[in-house]
Amino acid sequence: MFTKQMKGNFPMRHSMNRRYHNWNYTSPAIYMITITQENRRLPLLGKVIVDKHSNIPEEILAHCEPTRLGKIVWKTWKDMMNSFPGIRPLYFQLMEEHIHFILQVMQFLERPLGKHIAAFKARCTQQFRQLYNSPTGSLFARGFQDTILFRKGQLPRMFNYLKDNPRRLAVKRLFPDLFRVTRYIPFDTGFLNGIGNCFLLQAPYFYQAQVSRSIEVSSVDFQRKSDEMAEAVSQNAVVVSPCISPGEKELAKIAFQHQAPLIALRNNDFPPLYKPSGAYFDACANGRLLLLAPPGLGYQMGHRKLTRTEACILNSIAQKICGDFAADISYHGLVPAELEKLVASSLQPPTH
């Protein structure tokens, strides 16, 4: 889903209070807002209840049962958001220690949206203090995270994402090992960081999805690659891809559609609170996905542009994973010894 998030050279740490800089928050738009408790270790708003257990994650059903405070916060949100001129509340999803909601700003506001959200948070904190007899306690952390929806089709996807939150949390708790970031998995001369099914690295058979940028996905050459992958998958191969070129991304998509096991490489490390979303989430839960990142490349918040050097590193790592099944790749002027040094450096933990 395309969203606009904060860009620029900002501290490289995960945050639940990201804001889109250089945006006029009095402007008409649809906003998805996330607000977290100040103390997330003590959930006060609700409890996720599993309604249907299953060994198949997609079949699990769950909901978040609000606490007394959660019901108060929910009612306060409805009452206040309906009273603000120019703001239309669209959806509210309560979780155990945070809330998500979608608002539509219908016209230019007299005050920035953040002022209305601050008023809502202040009212909730006032009710929290009364309920818990805590004169100075704060319910919510400072600030909020927002996602601004700019394209048609995003709103239904956002609705579905928020409605699915309780199920995803239930799945994470039922299959915890598949959703933890594993740091420093021994690999070659160093380490990789990963999330998902690390046992995929031990598969006896791999297929490296390598497609040149010059190959169009509508071409005969690409269809040949797709057929080649399908044949490998039929023999229980694990697909390995850095997902760099359009063709490689399309092959990964096809692998997903056919529920083939996939190891995907990325040039951006995982933040502390990282969790896969969308199709990646259910693939992780089913043990069909392993996301890997070289720790030496570090983490950058937001979109990180892939450099040619990083592309070469990811391709080389994919070759090392595949071993005897590796694809032949030309690195165009990058001598093997130099490439090995770059890869070795990327596999080392960053120095602080």
Side-chain angles (χ1 to χ4, degrees):
M1 182 173 60
F2 176 83
T3 55
K4 291 195 175 180
Q5 291 282 11
M6 184 172 72
K7 298 180 180 179
N9 296 319
F10 296 93
M12 293 170 61
R13 59 184 178 83
H14 187 79
S15 172
M16 288 298 288
N17 294 313
R18 292 194 295 270
R19 303 286 300 281
Y20 179 45
H21 284 217
N22 303 319
W23 175 258
N24 180 358
Y25 277 86
T26 66
S27 300
I30 296 178
Y31 301 83
M32 196 278 280
I33 307 295
T34 299
I35 302 174
T36 63
Q37 278 186 206
E38 184 173 67
N39 181 5
R40 300 188 69 185
R41 296 182 180 179
L42 183 63
L44 298 174
L45 302 175
K47 175 70 175 177
V48 168
I49 306 296
V50 177
D51 302 310
K52 177 185 176 183
H53 289 265
S54 174
N55 291 326
I56 302 174
E58 291 93 338
E59 295 182 356
I60 292 172
L61 299 177
H63 73 282
C64 187
E65 187 69 28
T67 61
R68 182 181 176 188
L69 178 61
K71 292 177 181 178
I72 291 172
V73 169
W74 197 339
K75 184 178 185 303
T76 301
W77 178 83
K78 287 190 291 186
D79 292 345
M80 292 189 71
M81 295 303 163
N82 277 305
S83 69
F84 292 143
I87 295 178
R88 179 187 174 199
L90 298 180
Y91 188 75
F92 181 92
Q93 179 63 61
L94 180 129
M95 294 298 288
E96 294 182 343
E97 32 66 51
H98 67 276
I99 57 174
H100 301 288
F101 52 88
I102 301 175
L103 302 174
Q104 182 176 11
V105 174
M106 310 289 290
Q107 62 195 44
F108 279 96
L109 303 176
E110 293 184 2
R111 302 189 303 165
L113 181 62
K115 297 291 185 181
H116 297 284
I117 294 174
F120 160 69
K121 291 172 65 178
R123 177 76 63 83
C124 290
T125 291
Q126 182 183 43
Q127 294 166 325
F128 160 72
R129 289 174 177 176
Q130 293 174 352
L131 183 62
Y132 286 90
N133 193 25
S134 176
T136 59
S138 294
L139 175 58
F140 291 122
R142 294 182 61 185
F144 61 90
Q145 175 181 329
D146 68 82
T147 300
I148 307 170
L149 280 65
F150 288 94
R151 290 184 176 177
K152 290 182 178 180
Q154 286 183 272
L155 185 57
R157 294 176 66 182
M158 187 60 75
F159 277 136
N160 292 334
Y161 174 80
L162 296 187
K163 290 177 182 178
D164 198 38
N165 255 8
R167 183 192 70 89
R168 290 201 308 274
L169 180 56
V171 170
K172 286 177 65 177
R173 288 175 174 171
L174 292 170
F175 305 91
D177 290 340
L178 296 176
F179 294 94
R180 293 193 183 105
V181 176
T182 303
R183 302 287 177 186
Y184 308 135
I185 303 165
F187 177 78
D188 197 54
T189 59
F191 307 93
L192 289 168
N193 292 340
I195 186 168
N197 185 1
C198 292
F199 289 107
L200 292 180
L201 285 169
Q202 301 175 18
Y205 185 18
F206 296 97
Y207 174 79
Q208 184 173 354
Q210 194 279 324
V211 183
S212 169
R213 289 185 181 275
S214 63
I215 297 179
E216 299 287 340
V217 296
S218 59
S219 68
V220 173
D221 287 339
F222 177 79
Q223 185 59 51
R224 189 179 298 115
K225 290 276 188 180
S226 181
D227 293 342
E228 187 180 81
M229 183 181 72
E231 175 63 24
V233 168
S234 72
Q235 299 178 37
N236 299 315
V238 172
V239 178
V240 180
S241 177
C243 299
I244 296 171
S245 70
E248 289 167 1
K249 292 175 182 177
E250 184 64 21
L251 282 184
K253 182 179 177 181
I254 293 171
F256 256 97
Q257 291 172 346
H258 290 81
Q259 298 189 337
L262 174 68
I263 296 175
L265 300 171
R266 42 186 276 159
N267 68 325
N268 206 14
D269 201 359
F270 306 96
L273 299 180
Y274 178 83
K275 57 183 178 182
S277 60
Y280 275 10
F281 182 89
D282 286 323
C284 264
N286 282 299
R288 292 187 288 107
L289 177 67
L290 175 61
L291 300 175
L292 292 173
L297 297 185
Y299 168 67
Q300 178 179 308
M301 186 182 293
H303 175 72
R304 176 171 177 167
K305 186 176 180 180
L306 180 72
T307 66
R308 180 179 181 274
T309 297
E310 290 171 347
C312 292
I313 289 171
L314 296 184
N315 274 320
S316 179
I317 291 173
Q319 286 181 303
K320 290 176 181 291
I321 291 173
C322 292
D324 293 339
F325 305 101
D328 292 326
I329 300 176
S330 173
Y331 290 95
H332 301 293
L334 191 60
V335 298
E338 183 181 352
L339 178 60
E340 279 298 310
K341 287 182 180 179
L342 290 171
V343 172
S345 177
S346 76
L347 296 176
Q348 299 306 312
T351 56
H352 299 287

